[in-house]
Amino acid sequence: MKRRTFIKLAAITPVAAAALNPMNLAKGQIPPGGRPARGGFPPRDQGPTEYVPTGPGIQVRFLGTGGADWRGPAENGELRRHASILADGKVLFDYTATSADMIPEGVHPQVIFYTHSHNDHYEPKPALELGIRRVYLSETWLERATRDFQRAAEQTGMPMPEIIPLKLGQTVEQDGIKVTPLPANHASNHVDEETFIYLIEKDSTRLLYATDTGGLTARATGYAGIGQFSFERKFLTGIIMEATMGVGYKEDQRIFSHSSVDQVASTVRVLSESRKYLPVEGQKVYITHLSKTAHTGSQEEIERSLPAPLSCAYDGLEVLFR
Ligand SMILES: [Zn+2]
Ligand SMILES: [Zn+2]
């Protein structure tokens, strides 16, 4: 067999894949990406130090930036709808009736990815009324969601959408973007439901949409290739992360399922220092899913209080992530 043919075949055999896994390397063999520093740890001082985008990026519109306790305007008149984003005008990540007025005129998204089934993220009826035809969610609550959507289809007279169950780490391509569900540190009222955060990719853009979650779990960072034990030298180029709690809410009981501003700030510092987050210059990290009761001050006051590179997203904000 010619050597080239052999390499091609070898690339797809499980044996070859196992040999490429740094954990399976023979003694003295150097893994792709460099030699582990010590004790099997990935090399720390290698990989890119700068990011040059290769594509146009992902356009994100924040349809809602509030947590579950937003059921109307605050005393100062400001309003946050339930956390939801629209990517490239086509793909929704969560959606409730609160955000109906935030969909721009002439825009008709037909696809939605759900993070989990809490009702500040998941509401089948308004999704169908919006014209959703395809739904992605964790396989762990497929039957329940199918029943909910069947009921909503009967109530609205809209067609039943296609519901596609997702496994952790399974990348799907939709409208030119690649979406990978990662495990969240969160739980719905159903303990067997796997709740997701999402990695959203297009060309070189790697955007993390992390809500609802208490910090980033080891497994989530592992799937995204940015974990402590990740041998692949991958990095994020954009971060949207929930900060349900504001400054001073470190010991709030919600820490088991949600993040605070301090936690987002330290997560971003750690990822930046280890080159797992390499944004284009000037790119901010956006916080979302702000609780009405665990943030004091107006949008402007919160924005002023945040450490760089954090910025407070607001409903209707549009950001291009490169
Ligand atoms: Zn929520
Ligand atoms: Zn939730």
Side-chain angles (χ1 to χ4, degrees):
M1 194 187 296
K2 272 189 210 152
R3 185 169 156 73
R4 185 173 293 175
T5 322
F6 171 74
I7 289 168
K8 255 190 204 159
L9 284 176
I12 53 162
T13 61
V15 176
L20 281 174
N21 181 339
M23 303 311 285
N24 297 337
L25 292 173
K27 208 168 176 231
Q29 201 179 342
I30 298 172
R35 188 187 292 279
R38 69 189 149 77
F41 279 82
R44 289 178 187 281
D45 52 353
Q46 292 175 23
T49 54
E50 176 182 28
Y51 166 55
V52 183
T54 63
I58 301 168
Q59 183 75 26
V60 169
R61 179 176 172 87
F62 289 87
L63 304 181
T65 56
D69 56 0
W70 282 89
R71 300 276 172 196
E75 273 172 30
N76 64 10
E78 290 185 0
L79 174 68
R80 291 185 191 276
R81 294 152 186 83
H82 292 150
S84 162
I85 58 166
L86 178 63
D88 280 349
K90 287 183 175 158
V91 181
L92 280 167
F93 290 84
D94 296 340
Y95 176 77
T96 71
T98 64
S99 296
D101 63 338
M102 294 308 291
I103 304 274
E105 215 168 301
V107 171
H108 304 287
Q110 297 190 345
V111 179
I112 187 162
F113 286 82
Y114 283 112
T115 56
H116 63 300
S117 69
H118 273 156
N119 62 10
D120 58 322
H121 298 260
Y122 167 73
E123 234 181 1
K125 206 170 152 221
L128 291 187
E129 283 162 349
L130 189 65
I132 291 297
R133 305 300 305 272
R134 181 176 288 176
V135 172
Y136 292 94
L137 41 74
S138 164
E139 60 179 355
T140 56
W141 54 293
L142 174 66
E143 285 80 21
R144 180 158 45 95
T146 303
R147 283 196 303 275
D148 293 344
F149 270 97
Q150 270 161 351
R151 202 175 312 121
E154 280 161 28
Q155 287 170 353
T156 58
M158 300 298 283
M160 179 70 184
E162 178 186 10
I163 303 185
I164 302 175
L166 293 175
K167 288 183 197 302
L168 280 177
Q170 176 194 353
T171 303
V172 292
E173 202 161 343
Q174 178 69 55
D175 291 299
I177 56 177
K178 284 193 244 168
V179 182
T180 310
L182 317 174
N185 179 29
H186 195 66
S188 78
N189 318 20
H190 303 261
V191 285
D192 54 350
E193 176 184 329
E194 179 90 58
T195 65
F196 286 160
I197 56 176
Y198 284 103
L199 178 66
I200 310 169
E201 297 174 276
K202 185 168 133 191
D203 304 312
S204 60
T205 303
R206 302 187 87 228
L207 169 66
L208 182 70
Y209 184 59
T211 193
D212 292 355
T213 187
L216 300 182
T217 69
R219 292 176 71 217
T221 57
Y223 278 118
I226 57 162
Q228 189 188 354
F229 304 106
S230 296
F231 279 88
E232 296 170 283
R233 302 304 308 185
K234 290 191 177 174
F235 55 88
L236 300 172
T237 68
I239 300 175
I240 301 167
M241 189 164 168
E242 72 133 289
T244 301
M245 294 90 77
V247 176
Y249 283 84
K250 262 185 193 159
E251 291 179 12
D252 189 284
Q253 60 163 341
R254 284 167 284 196
I255 58 165
F256 301 118
S257 52
H258 289 290
S259 308
S260 66
V261 165
D262 293 334
Q263 197 171 4
V264 176
S266 36
T267 302
V268 171
R269 272 198 302 275
V270 168
L271 289 177
S272 302
E273 279 163 19
S274 56
R275 300 187 209 156
K276 306 274 170 66
Y277 173 51
L278 281 180
V280 292
E281 210 182 320
Q283 177 73 68
K284 291 169 178 170
V285 168
Y286 290 90
I287 61 164
T288 187
H289 198 272
L290 282 73
S291 156
K292 194 177 189 176
T293 52
H295 280 269
T296 45
S298 62
Q299 163 71 27
E300 212 185 308
E301 286 163 338
I302 296 170
E303 180 68 25
R304 267 206 307 270
S305 74
L306 294 177
L310 270 54
S311 183
C312 185
Y314 53 89
D315 299 8
L317 171 68
E318 298 233 4
V319 179
L320 177 67
F321 287 92
R322 298 299 310 276

